[in-house]
Amino acid sequence: MSNDDEASTASGTPENRLRKELPEEIRATAPAPKVPEEKEAGGEPTLTGRQRLVKGLWPPRVSRAQLIVALLLFGLGFGLAVQVASNSDSGSALRGARQEDLVRILDELDSRTQRLEDEKQGLEDQRTELENSSDQAEEARKQTVEREKQLGILAGTVAAQGPGITLTINDSKGTVEADMLLDAIQELRAAGAEAIQVNGVRVVASTYLTDSDKGVSVDGNKITQPYRFKVIGKSQDLEPALNIPGGVVQTLEKEQATVTVEPSTKIVVDALRPAKQPDYARSSQ
């Protein structure tokens, strides 16, 4: 290497030599020389840490999900801000109100509360009334059904069972007539019989008995001996009523008929009469 080259290398670039030749005051204010950027093997300049950070953050890469979340957060924040502002305005309005206005507002709130309490009480009273009316309607329905059954038993359209007696009359001589059996029915009714059945024929208020060849007819239905009465009622009253002196039993025995009375805790009267619609009578209710 020549002497000139060594001097040039030692002195550096022409800019450095110029800085050395300038006075010290000027050299202090002059800009520092630019250091050439090192290049990577591929020819691209090497970036500093700050440059790489800036390059990674800008331009921003926002996905669709991130954008939706950002919008939701913005809306939530906006709503909270509006609510806080509204509450602040309301509170500031009350703080700035006069004492007379505050008293008036309090009275209005008390009146509104009282009206709401009255409405609540009225609704509760209506509910109680509806419940009571429903209970009354259910009770009336039950009573109607029970009354219908009772009337059906009296009319012979409903089967019945209960304590009572069985009256059996054996007429081997054929001397028992319809009027004797009718006396027995009337005596049983007077003693409290609630349901009577004679040889499969239900006895009702309109029942009639007539004599027929070798027997008796009940409501047009011919029956033959032995005549068997199934009677529902209090046996302690029914049996003595038949055995009174000069009563039904003695009268039948005079006609050489055999009479037996058997009390029972369960008598079933299952002969039914068809329900008859009256031709002229109507309910007055």
Side-chain angles (χ1 to χ4, degrees):
M1 182 180 295
S2 62
N3 295 331
D4 294 338
D5 293 336
E6 292 176 358
S8 175
T9 301
S11 301
T13 61
E15 185 177 355
N16 291 334
R17 290 197 301 271
L18 180 60
R19 289 177 60 87
K20 290 181 179 181
E21 294 174 359
L22 291 174
E24 186 176 356
E25 293 81 0
I26 298 176
R27 277 186 289 144
T29 59
K34 295 183 180 180
V35 179
E37 298 178 350
E38 296 181 1
K39 295 186 178 180
E40 297 178 353
E44 295 293 332
T46 303
L47 300 178
T48 63
R50 179 178 297 178
Q51 290 173 339
R52 286 196 298 269
L53 179 60
V54 172
K55 187 176 181 180
L57 295 177
W58 191 267
R61 297 178 179 85
V62 181
S63 64
R64 183 176 181 181
Q66 292 174 340
L67 182 60
I68 293 174
V69 172
L71 291 176
L72 291 176
L73 291 176
F74 174 77
L76 179 60
F78 181 77
L80 290 175
V82 171
Q83 184 175 2
V84 170
S86 176
N87 293 337
S88 177
D89 293 340
S90 176
S92 61
L94 290 177
R95 285 194 297 269
R98 296 178 302 174
Q99 183 177 0
E100 294 80 0
D101 296 334
L102 293 176
V103 172
R104 179 179 55 81
I105 294 173
L106 183 61
D107 291 340
E108 291 178 355
L109 291 176
D110 291 340
S111 300
R112 184 180 300 177
T113 302
Q114 186 61 40
R115 287 197 301 270
L116 292 176
E117 289 292 337
D118 294 340
E119 292 179 2
K120 176 184 176 183
Q121 186 63 39
L123 292 175
E124 291 179 352
D125 293 341
Q126 291 180 5
R127 183 185 65 180
T128 303
E129 184 178 356
L130 290 174
E131 290 177 352
N132 293 336
S133 62
S134 178
D135 295 340
Q136 292 175 359
E138 181 65 19
E139 183 64 25
R141 188 189 67 81
K142 291 181 180 179
Q143 293 180 3
T144 300
V145 172
E146 186 65 25
R147 182 62 176 171
E148 182 180 1
K149 291 180 180 179
Q150 294 175 359
L151 294 176
I153 292 174
L154 296 177
T157 58
V158 177
Q161 67 178 19
I165 64 171
T166 300
L167 170 65
T168 304
I169 302 172
N170 287 293
D171 181 23
S172 58
K173 301 295 184 179
T175 57
V176 175
E177 297 179 350
D179 59 341
M180 300 178 185
L181 299 182
L182 181 59
D183 290 341
I185 292 175
Q186 291 176 345
E187 194 67 41
L188 290 170
R189 282 176 172 171
E194 296 177 351
I196 303 174
Q197 175 178 318
V198 180
N199 286 39
V201 181
R202 188 70 169 266
V203 177
V204 294
S206 60
T207 294
Y208 62 94
L209 287 82
T210 57
D211 293 319
S212 61
D213 294 337
K214 298 180 181 181
V216 177
S217 293
V218 180
D219 291 334
N221 300 296
K222 185 177 180 180
I223 60 174
T224 58
Q225 64 90 27
Y227 306 116
R228 183 171 287 105
F229 291 68
K230 292 183 178 181
V231 186
I232 296 177
K234 188 175 181 180
S235 58
Q236 293 85 347
D237 296 335
L238 298 175
E239 186 175 3
L242 297 174
N243 290 309
I244 61 175
V248 173
V249 173
Q250 287 188 0
T251 301
L252 293 173
E253 288 177 347
K254 287 180 181 180
E255 299 295 332
Q256 299 181 351
T258 304
V259 182
T260 58
V261 179
E262 298 178 0
S264 176
T265 57
K266 183 179 180 181
I267 299 295
V268 178
V269 175
D270 53 4
L272 303 179
R273 300 291 291 266
K276 183 179 180 182
Q277 182 69 27
D279 297 328
Y280 304 102
R282 295 292 182 268
S283 175
S284 62
Q285 298 296 329

